[in-house]
């Protein structure tokens, strides 16, 4: 890294130790992200580029860059880039092949979302278990009328994806006395769930058939795209609830609508949809047993703070080991 200075704006000629690109997330000012990194690296220069022109200028000499996205014109301008720290957990939107060809290491925000998305999933499950949506509807109508509810204890929860988010969901379900099934690419590695199975085959179908709450917390890949289709909904118990905090296309939307209309499942909590944003005229808006949140499970006031911890640690590793540094959350290209 270049010798540290006190400069934190775009006026100096010295390349910054960390360049922060201008796009923020979840409605939180990106200035907060830059400030969190500066707090952890007081002896380094951390600069925030606030315009496209500033980004193109600053990135020419920057070695360590962080941001939500990486435009093609920035990659063309980046002459000395060594590390791009993506501020999202997913990296499918990045030009990974071109970054690899340039020898640029890529990291992501894996683990940053674990606590808040775990809480979101738990809240969604409890909402359907105790049928709070029914109570809310009756409250709006000022109806004092008892209704039947469910009990979470003794239920079976299947979690598709045992990464940081899936593990956080498992941790939060542990006190509730549920049976858990984990689904992952390499089931032989085990996991925090009572049972671990792979994708597809009879084992997956059997898990669907005995699942009360199906939680999707996996990345979108060729394997998971359309994983929950019409056959899956027919296989699921009619009392099952779908909770999707993964990506919209993991579920076939038309099949989901058919399943809801046919009472093949009890309900669905959707933080992601396909298409997204969900059009105003889409039928999913009209089901009383569907909870829709606008890709909001990832929001937490601690997002930038947790992400800055990863950035600061990786800056120190690059300082110590240079191009040979083993980075936290490094994406295998």
């Amino acid at each position: 890294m270049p010798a540290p200075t006190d400069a934190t704006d775009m006026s100096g000629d010295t390349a910054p130790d960390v360049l922060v690109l201008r796009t923020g997330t979840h409605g939180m000012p990106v200035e907060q992200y830059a400030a969190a990194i500066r707090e952890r690296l007081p002896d380094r220069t951390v600069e925030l580029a606030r315009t496209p022109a500033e980004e193109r200028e600053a990135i020419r000499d920057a070695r360590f860059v962080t941001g939500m996205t990486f435009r093609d014109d920035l990659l063309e301008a980046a002459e000395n880039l060594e590390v791009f720290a993506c501020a999202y957990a997913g990296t499918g939107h990045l030009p990974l092949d071109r970054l690899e060809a340039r020898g640029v290491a890529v990291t992501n925000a894996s683990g940053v979302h674990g606590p808040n998305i775990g809480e979101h999933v738990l809240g969604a499950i409890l909402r359907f278990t105790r049928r709070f949506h029914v109570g809310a509807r009756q409250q709006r109508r000022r109806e004092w009328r008892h209704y039947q509810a469910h009990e979470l204890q003794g239920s079976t929860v299947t979690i598709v994806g045992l990464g940081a988010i899936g593990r956080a969901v498992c941790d939060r379900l542990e006190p509730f006395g549920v049976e858990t099934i984990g689904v992952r690419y390499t089931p032989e590695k085990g996991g925090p769930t009572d049972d671990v199975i792979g994708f597809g085959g009879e084992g997956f179908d059997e898990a669907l058939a005995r699942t009360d709450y199906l939680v999707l917390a996996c990345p979108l890949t060729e394997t998971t795209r359309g994983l929950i289709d019409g056959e899956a909904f027919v296989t699921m118990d009619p009392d099952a609830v779908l909770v999707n905090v993964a990506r919209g296309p993991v579920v076939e939307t038309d099949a989901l609508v058919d399943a809801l209309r046919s009472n093949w499942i009890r309900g669905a909590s959707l933080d992601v949809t396909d298409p997204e944003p969900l059009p105003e005229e889409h039928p999913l808006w009209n089901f009383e047993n569907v909870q829709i949140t606008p890709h909001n499970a990832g929001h937490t006031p601690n997002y930038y703070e947790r992400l800055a911890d990863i950035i600061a640690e990786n800056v120190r590793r690059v300082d110590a080991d240079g191009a040979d540094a083993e980075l936290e959350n490094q994406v295998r290209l």
Side-chain angles (χ1 to χ4, degrees), residues 72-218:
D72 288 342
D73 63 317
L74 294 184
L75 185 56
E76 292 296 329
E79 299 175 359
N80 298 297
L81 184 63
E82 296 178 6
V83 178
F84 178 68
C86 181
Y88 289 136
T91 56
H93 63 290
L94 300 178
L96 295 177
D97 291 344
R98 297 176 64 194
L99 288 165
E100 181 182 17
R102 295 276 297 273
V104 177
V106 177
T107 64
N108 65 13
S110 178
V112 170
H113 297 94
N116 45 288
I117 296 185
E119 292 173 3
H120 182 101
V121 170
L122 183 59
I125 290 175
L126 290 174
R127 176 182 186 269
F128 278 94
T129 300
R130 299 308 303 168
R131 301 186 72 199
F132 289 138
H133 56 296
V134 176
R137 182 177 69 243
Q138 292 187 184
Q139 180 179 346
R140 289 193 300 272
R141 297 173 178 174
R142 301 182 183 184
E143 295 177 356
W144 185 273
R145 182 162 51 89
H146 291 286
Y147 58 89
Q148 294 184 339
H150 302 269
E151 188 170 294
L152 184 55
Q153 181 173 281
S155 298
T156 298
V157 181
T158 295
I159 303 165
V160 181
L162 293 180
I165 293 171
R167 294 194 301 271
V169 172
C170 289
D171 290 344
R172 283 152 183 78
L173 285 172
E174 198 278 331
F176 287 89
V178 301
E179 179 187 3
T180 53
I181 303 171
V183 183
R184 65 185 308 177
Y185 290 105
T186 52
E188 62 273 9
K189 290 184 178 180
T193 50
D194 297 313
D195 294 315
V196 181
I197 62 173
F199 287 91
E202 292 184 4
F204 185 69
D205 289 338
E206 290 173 359
L208 289 180
R210 62 190 182 99
T211 293
D212 297 295
Y213 298 91
L214 177 62
V215 178
L216 304 179
C218 54

Side-chain angles (χ1 to χ4, degrees), residues 2 9 18 54 62 86 98 100 157 168 199 236 240 259-260 284 296:
D9 58 27
V18 180
E54 287 183 355
C86 181
R98 297 176 64 194
E100 181 182 17
V157 181
F199 287 91
M236 291 168 64
L260 291 164
L284 281 174
N296 208 60

Side-chain angles (χ1 to χ4, degrees), residues 1-2 4-5 7-8 17-18 41-46 315-316 319:
M1 291 288 177
T5 72
T8 56
D17 294 314
V18 180
L41 297 171
D43 57 343
R44 303 291 193 276
T45 57
V46 179
V315 168
R316 297 185 190 103
D319 277 349

Side-chain angles (χ1 to χ4, degrees), residues 273 275-287 292:
T273 60
E276 188 174 308
L278 194 65
E280 288 185 24
E281 68 279 4
H282 201 281
L284 281 174
W285 289 111
N286 300 322
F287 291 98
I292 296 175

Side-chain angles (χ1 to χ4, degrees), residues 53-73:
E54 287 183 355
E55 287 180 335
R56 289 191 296 270
E57 179 63 27
I59 207 168
R60 293 188 184 281
D61 297 317
R63 296 170 59 195
F64 196 113
V65 176
T66 183
M68 310 293 163
T69 61
F70 202 102
R71 303 193 315 274
D72 288 342
D73 63 317

